[in-house]
Amino acid sequence: GRESLIELVLTEGKNRGIRRLCKALGHEVRSLKRIQYGAYKLGTLAPGEWMEVQPMAHSKDPDHCDRQP
């Protein structure tokens, strides 16, 4: 069958919200991949891997924060 790759941006997560939205539109979700959590971009962080983060400076720009990979 046909497959599509879409990118969605959620500002507020609800339980299974993406799956429910896609189902309502007639699309099956085979997998989801989180690429960012709030201001923290996950980059190449593998499943189960973690990183220490510093408290962020107050900024609306997600690239303007103090992070330690």
Side-chain angles (χ1 to χ4, degrees):
R2 292 182 8 217
E3 291 187 12
S4 299
L5 175 64
I6 62 172
E7 182 175 332
L8 297 172
V9 176
L10 264 61
T11 56
E12 180 180 320
K14 297 289 185 186
N15 191 26
R16 304 194 191 289
I18 293 174
R19 292 185 187 276
R20 289 181 179 146
L21 170 68
C22 290
K23 184 177 181 178
L25 296 172
H27 297 282
E28 175 188 5
V29 175
R30 291 183 161 203
S31 67
L32 294 172
K33 180 180 177 183
R34 182 183 304 243
I35 59 172
Q36 186 170 332
Y37 187 82
Y40 299 103
K41 294 181 181 177
L42 302 181
T44 59
L45 201 62
E49 192 176 10
W50 59 276
M51 65 181 173
E52 279 192 43
V53 295
Q54 297 297 320
M56 295 184 314
H58 294 287
S59 173
K60 297 261 184 204
D61 180 6
D63 291 324
H64 181 265
C65 62
D66 297 326
R67 293 181 275 188
Q68 284 188 343

